[in-house]
């Protein structure tokens, strides 16, 4: 058991059981600088995304007069709250070598239901409405989680089906723009103030950063976290070490569902107006953010901190290119290129590790 | 009845290039329903024997959902049967082609479509016409008006122009002495309705697309959250924006949110186009300076009536030189200016999206 948990504990840095025992080609010389850099990055999983973020900020700071300002950074942080929170749930699921195509549609359904319930209600009732939103979101995610963990259906197909059903369901439920009353519990995450007179901070920004910190702690410092990495890295090995794989998976999906409800709450802070289309296609945005943030689509490797940096990278690109006067389509081109580069790096990292 | 074997033969030829099972099913259905697929023009058909297919762009946008509801109401009022379908997403031509094929199979007498692709849909519409089905368009014209007997639509250029003229007048009134600094929340690269509205807006406002007055321009796909981020970023790049234009009301809602959270609600005039009840409410609460109302209800009713008229009496609808009947636009604002005709939000709330009542 101690051997197994040792192996599991190492999982975040990528020494997964599935790489053990692969036939290795004979090595002729010591690792070159590229390989050494990649090996270093593999031991510090979010160093790469952080470096990319810093480089982008530097480029845009040099290229425009307007990018480097406290106000611009506070805007980017506020833009990160909804996609960033959704990306945290997406990270948990991808860590188990799953994928979630339904996160945006779960968010849409819970914002619509909460907004509908809030029509004409006093602020006091809003806490109850919020609880309904969290319960609904967790329940929808639990359905997907059950199908994936107990019935062993592929996550891609289950969440694709959920995405299709919930998208249609949301449109059947409401075609109107629903506005929740401002100034109550539902919009509280959008309120805040100014730091040093210029840096606008909302409660939502603190909430997303706190969520990153809590999840990072849970993933790296608790037995549950080690189980998540183990299940994603090699479910068979995890099962043999006595981990209840299907329970870990189910908990991951429910936790992701709660994060989507948190994102729905964040969305009311960003804008109290919602409709069946707002954030409906966040699934692909969050997958991009998670992959750019260094989480492996093959499971077992990655960090929530990286995913948040991945979210910021996409937003910094968008903000910087807008301010340089580029069309939004170029931002999409660059985001796509970054996604492919991140996956390539992940594959290359695995290869380097296999070589020792 | 001698056309039955011919149409069946043609359908079988098509089917060989498609999935065999689907083709067989379609042939069987055509054979069974071929009698109702026969052109009824000039036959003085009984309304109960008439089936009309109504195909919108998507059911993701309340505008098209509303239009479809109104079509249903109009069909019920005239006692004809209505079949409905929609593309999956804005631009989904394939979905609309499949919808037309399914409707042909089930033997509709007329098809009314809001084409996702003005060019790509034409061959399918022409194939439907060859089968004796009367075809019409709403909201968007087909390329050169091919493949349809008539079109009922918003003049998007005129709608944009109306907004542009108003925005210029209210700007000159409220910001006299200032230079206009304009931000555009556009639709998508090269989509007709987006280009027409923007062209009209700029013309009405009296500026060029590459003019120095345009300090920001972003594509939003008409999406609220994308428009919000785009407006935030444009405000960072050019904090002195004083006029904003949005392609539709969801984009306008996102833009208004960004403007409000930047604390610039008083300094920026924001104009939108659509005319939903939600949009009128945004004008009412001051988030929009104005919106331009369209009348999808009229499009639905007028096209259904024309289809019935054609099927019963063989009368083709008369189209103006533009190739489409302009179903009208109204500017909705509570800050009326001289020289631009407008209605207030009370009128707007009573008439949003046009219960014609006429």
């Amino acid at each position: 058991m101690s051997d197994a948990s040792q192996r599991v504990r190492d999982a975040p840095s990528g020494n997964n059981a599935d790489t053990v025992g692969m036939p290795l080609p004979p090595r002729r010389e010591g690792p070159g600088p590229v390989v050494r850099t990649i090996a270093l990055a593999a031991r510090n999983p979010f160093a790469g995304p952080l470096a990319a973020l810093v480089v982008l900020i530097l480029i845009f700071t040099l290229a425009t007069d307007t990018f480097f300002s406290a106000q611009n950074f506070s805007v980017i942080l506020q833009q990160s709250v909804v996609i960033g929170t959704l990306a945290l749930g997406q990270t948990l699921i991808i860590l188990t070598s799953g994928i979630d195509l339904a996160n945006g549609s779960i968010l849409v359904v819970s914002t619509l239901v909460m907004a509908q319930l809030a029509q004409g209600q006093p602020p006091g009732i809003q806490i109850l409405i919020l609880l309904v939103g969290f319960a609904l979101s967790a329940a929808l995610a639990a359905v997907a989680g059950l199908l994936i963990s107990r019935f062993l259906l592929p996550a891609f197909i289950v969440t694709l089906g959920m995405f299709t059903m919930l998208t249609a369901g949301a449109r059947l439920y409401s075609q109107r723009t629903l506005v929740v009353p401002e100034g109550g519990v539902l919009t509280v995450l959008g309120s805040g103030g100014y730091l040093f007179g210029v840096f606008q901070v909302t409660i939502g920004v603190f909430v997303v950063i706190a969520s990153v910190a809590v999840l990072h702690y849970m993933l790296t410092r608790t037995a549950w976290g080690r189980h998540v990495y183990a299940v994603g890295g090699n479910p068979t090995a995890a099962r043999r070490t006595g981990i209840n794989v299907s329970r870990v998976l189910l908990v991951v999906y429910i936790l992701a569902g709660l994060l989507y409800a948190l994102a729905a709450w964040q969305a009311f802070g960003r804008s109290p107006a919602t409709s069946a289309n707002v954030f409906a296609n966040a699934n692909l945005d969050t997958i991009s953010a998670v992959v750019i943030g260094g989480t492996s689509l093959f499971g077992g490797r990655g960090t929530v901190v990286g995913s948040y940096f991945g979210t910021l990278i996409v937003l910094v690109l968008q903000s910087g290119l807008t301010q340089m006067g580029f069309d939004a389509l170029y931002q999409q081109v660059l985001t796509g290129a970054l996604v492919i580069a991140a996956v390539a790096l992940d594959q290359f990292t695995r290869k380097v590790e296999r070589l020792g | 009845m001698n056309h039955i074997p011919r149409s069946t033969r043609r359908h079988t030829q098509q089917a060989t290039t498609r999935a065999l099972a689907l083709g067989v099913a379609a042939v069987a259905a055509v054979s069974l329903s071929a009698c109702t697929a026969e052109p009824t023009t000039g036959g003085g058909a009984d309304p109960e024997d008439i089936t009309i297919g109504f195909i919108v762009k998507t059911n993701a946008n309340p505008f098209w959902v509303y239009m479809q509801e109104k079509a249903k109401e109009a069909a019920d009022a005239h006692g004809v049967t209505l079949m409905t379908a929609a593309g999956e997403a804005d631009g989904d031509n394939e979905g609309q082609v499949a919808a037309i094929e399914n409707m042909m199979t089930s033997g509709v007498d007329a098809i009314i479509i809001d084409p996702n692709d003005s060019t790509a849909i034409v061959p399918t519409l022409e194939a439907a016409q060859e089968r004796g089905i009367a075809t019409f368009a709403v909201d968007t014209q087909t390329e050169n008006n091919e493949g349809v007997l008539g079109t009922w639509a918003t003049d998007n250029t005129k709608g944009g122009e109306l907004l542009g003229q108003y925005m210029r007048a209210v700007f000159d009134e409220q910001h006299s002495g200032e230079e206009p600094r304009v931000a555009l929340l556009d639709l998508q690269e090269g989509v007709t309705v987006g280009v027409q509205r923007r062209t009209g807006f700029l013309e009405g406002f009296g500026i060029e697309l590459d003019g120095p007055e345009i300090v920001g321009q972003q594509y939003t796909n008409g999406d609220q959250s994308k428009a919000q981020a785009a407006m935030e970023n444009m405000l960072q790049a050019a904090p002195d924006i004083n006029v904003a234009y949005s392609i539709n009301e969801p984009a306008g809602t996102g833009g208004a949110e960004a403007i409000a959270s930047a604390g610039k609600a008083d300094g920026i005039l924001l104009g939108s186009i659509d005319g939903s009840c939600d949009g009128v409410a945004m004008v009412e609460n001051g988030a929009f300076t104005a919106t331009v109302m369209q009348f999808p209800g009229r499009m639905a009713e007028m096209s259904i009536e024309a289809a019935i008229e054609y099927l019963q009496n063989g009368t083709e609808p008369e189209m103006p030189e533009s190739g489409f009947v302009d179903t009208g636009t109204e500017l909705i604002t509570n800050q009326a200016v001289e020289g631009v005709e407008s209605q207030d939000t009370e009128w707007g709330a009573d008439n949003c999206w046009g219960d014609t009542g006429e």
Side-chain angles (χ1 to χ4, degrees):
Chain A
M1 191 62 209
S2 70
D3 173 48
S5 66
Q6 182 60 48
R7 200 161 51 190
V8 169
R9 188 173 298 128
D10 288 339
S13 59
N15 292 332
N16 297 320
D18 66 341
T19 60
V20 175
M22 296 292 289
L24 302 177
R27 296 188 50 82
R28 284 188 221 102
E29 55 201 37
V34 175
V35 171
R36 277 204 306 274
T37 312
I38 287 172
L40 186 73
R43 280 195 298 278
N44 303 284
F46 50 79
L50 180 60
L53 185 60
V54 170
V55 168
L56 281 177
I57 290 173
L58 273 175
I59 291 173
F60 290 127
T61 301
L62 295 175
T64 72
D65 301 334
T66 50
F67 185 82
F68 196 87
S69 75
Q71 202 193 13
N72 191 37
F73 290 134
S74 66
V75 164
I76 290 170
L77 284 174
Q78 286 171 57
Q79 290 174 349
S80 77
V81 295
V82 182
I83 292 293
T85 310
L86 283 174
L88 296 180
Q90 184 73 267
T91 310
L92 290 179
I93 289 171
I94 291 180
L95 281 177
T96 67
S97 76
I99 196 142
D100 193 354
L101 298 175
N103 59 6
S105 37
I106 292 178
L107 173 139
V108 168
V109 169
S110 51
T111 54
L112 284 180
V113 169
M114 284 193 273
Q116 186 90 58
L117 291 174
Q119 301 300 310
Q121 296 290 343
I125 305 290
Q126 290 193 6
I127 293 174
L128 286 176
I129 293 170
L130 196 59
L131 290 177
V132 170
F134 272 85
L136 178 66
S137 204
L140 290 172
V143 170
L146 271 177
L147 292 170
I148 291 158
S149 65
R150 298 287 144 97
F151 298 95
L152 304 179
L153 304 181
F156 184 91
I157 299 302
V158 169
T159 59
L160 177 64
M162 293 286 286
F163 165 71
T164 313
M165 283 193 296
L166 294 177
T167 303
R171 288 172 188 171
L172 288 170
Y173 181 73
S174 175
Q175 282 284 342
R176 293 213 52 183
T177 300
L178 295 162
V179 183
V180 302
E182 274 189 79
V185 174
L186 289 180
T187 55
V188 73
L189 297 183
S191 57
Y194 286 89
L195 274 184
F196 316 115
V198 284
F199 196 78
Q200 197 190 0
V201 283
T202 56
I203 299 172
V205 172
F206 290 110
V207 168
V208 69
I209 291 170
S211 307
V212 173
V214 168
L215 277 172
H216 183 70
Y217 177 84
M218 284 168 69
L219 283 171
T220 56
R221 296 277 183 271
T222 69
W224 174 81
R226 290 194 290 273
H227 292 173
V228 171
Y229 283 107
V231 166
N234 188 332
T236 312
R239 199 170 285 116
R240 286 196 185 134
T241 62
I243 295 172
N244 186 339
V245 171
S246 73
R247 196 178 64 198
V248 170
L249 279 175
L250 184 60
V251 169
V252 159
Y253 278 87
I254 292 174
L255 191 54
L258 293 171
L259 286 162
Y260 303 155
L262 181 61
W265 191 14
Q266 294 272 30
F268 285 133
R270 280 279 286 166
S271 165
T274 191
S275 78
N277 301 311
V278 184
F279 291 108
N281 294 315
N283 49 8
L284 299 184
D285 293 344
T286 58
I287 293 169
S288 300
V290 170
V291 170
I292 290 172
T295 294
S296 168
L297 280 172
F298 306 100
R301 181 217 306 270
T303 61
V304 285
V305 181
S307 296
Y308 188 60
F309 287 147
T311 310
L312 290 176
I313 286 171
V314 174
L315 293 170
V316 161
L317 260 182
Q318 186 177 313
S319 168
L321 291 178
T322 303
Q323 291 176 42
M324 285 177 75
F326 279 104
D327 195 297
L329 296 173
Y330 290 105
Q331 176 242 327
Q332 290 173 20
V333 170
L334 278 178
T335 305
L338 276 181
V339 168
I340 293 171
V343 173
L345 192 66
D346 177 51
Q347 287 290 29
F348 193 50
T349 310
R350 280 171 188 261
K351 202 169 163 192
V352 167
E353 279 169 4
R354 253 182 260 141
L355 296 174
Chain B
M1 295 301 273
N2 66 346
H3 95 231
I4 297 170
R6 190 154 37 97
S7 78
T8 308
R9 194 163 57 239
R10 184 166 58 241
H11 212 94
T12 313
Q13 281 162 4
Q14 278 178 2
T16 52
T17 60
R18 292 171 183 270
L20 192 64
L22 201 78
V24 170
V27 169
V30 167
S31 316
L32 288 174
S33 61
C35 290
T36 53
E38 195 178 336
T40 47
T41 31
D46 198 355
E48 280 170 31
D49 297 333
I50 293 177
T51 305
I52 299 173
F54 198 86
I55 305 169
V56 293
K57 282 188 176 168
T58 83
N59 43 29
N61 186 319
F63 182 87
W64 294 304
V65 175
Y66 180 86
M67 192 156 71
Q68 213 162 42
E69 277 169 18
K70 285 287 149 188
K72 194 103 198 155
E73 280 174 27
D76 287 346
H78 290 93
V80 303
T81 311
L82 193 77
M83 289 179 73
T84 55
E88 284 230 343
D90 210 342
D92 171 25
N93 181 61
E94 206 43 47
Q96 290 193 324
V97 168
I100 294 175
E101 286 171 344
N102 292 338
M103 285 178 174
M104 287 200 279
T105 306
S106 68
V108 295
D109 305 295
I111 288 175
I112 299 167
I113 187 167
D114 184 348
N116 270 327
D117 188 317
S118 298
T119 311
I121 200 69
V122 171
T124 314
L125 288 173
E126 285 172 346
Q129 285 184 333
E130 275 175 41
R131 294 264 302 271
I133 295 168
T135 50
F136 306 88
V138 282
D139 184 42
T140 306
Q141 286 175 279
T142 59
E143 189 72 24
N144 303 323
N145 298 305
E146 281 167 16
V148 292
L149 294 171
T151 305
W152 292 262
T154 303
D155 187 335
N156 282 302
T157 314
K158 206 166 103 184
E161 206 177 324
L162 185 60
L163 183 67
Q165 282 167 353
Y166 168 79
M167 294 293 278
R168 185 66 199 223
V170 77
F171 179 83
D172 288 343
E173 204 169 86
Q174 296 182 7
H175 295 252
S176 58
E178 275 179 62
E179 284 293 307
R181 298 180 61 81
V182 182
L184 305 174
L185 291 166
D186 263 324
L187 187 61
Q188 278 168 38
E189 188 88 47
V191 175
T192 316
V193 56
V195 173
Q196 287 177 340
R197 286 183 186 180
R198 182 185 62 204
T199 307
F201 174 79
L202 295 178
E203 204 145 292
F205 202 92
I207 50 180
E208 304 274 329
L209 184 55
D210 53 3
E213 299 92 345
I214 310 270
V215 294
Q217 190 240 334
Q218 287 288 305
Y219 291 110
T220 65
N221 290 349
D223 176 291
Q224 183 186 323
S225 57
K226 286 198 174 70
Q228 186 174 353
M231 192 71 213
E232 284 168 344
N233 291 336
M234 288 194 288
L235 280 170
Q236 288 306 313
D240 52 357
I241 288 168
N242 48 25
V243 176
Y245 151 88
S246 73
I247 168 73
N248 66 4
E249 283 166 357
T253 306
E257 194 59 45
I259 290 169
S261 54
K264 296 182 187 231
D266 291 335
I268 299 176
L269 301 170
L270 171 61
S272 194
I273 301 181
D274 249 354
S276 70
C277 303
D278 294 331
V280 172
M282 296 284 283
V283 179
E284 167 101 62
N285 71 23
F288 294 165
T289 317
T291 190
V292 172
M293 187 177 287
Q294 321 173 71
F295 296 93
R298 274 182 209 165
M299 296 173 200
E301 285 168 27
M302 292 166 82
S303 61
I304 295 266
E305 276 160 17
I308 295 171
E309 171 69 18
Y310 177 76
L311 292 171
Q312 288 190 323
N313 306 318
T315 323
E316 283 194 29
E318 268 181 48
M319 287 293 124
E321 210 172 301
S322 62
F324 72 102
V325 174
D326 181 1
T327 48
T329 40
E330 287 286 350
L331 188 90
I332 309 295
T333 183
N334 284 336
Q335 309 172 45
V337 291
E338 240 178 86
V340 185
E341 208 173 297
S342 64
Q343 300 281 358
D344 63 11
T345 52
E346 199 177 319
W347 185 94
D350 288 341
N351 293 277
C352 38
W353 276 349
D355 293 315
T356 57
E358 292 158 7

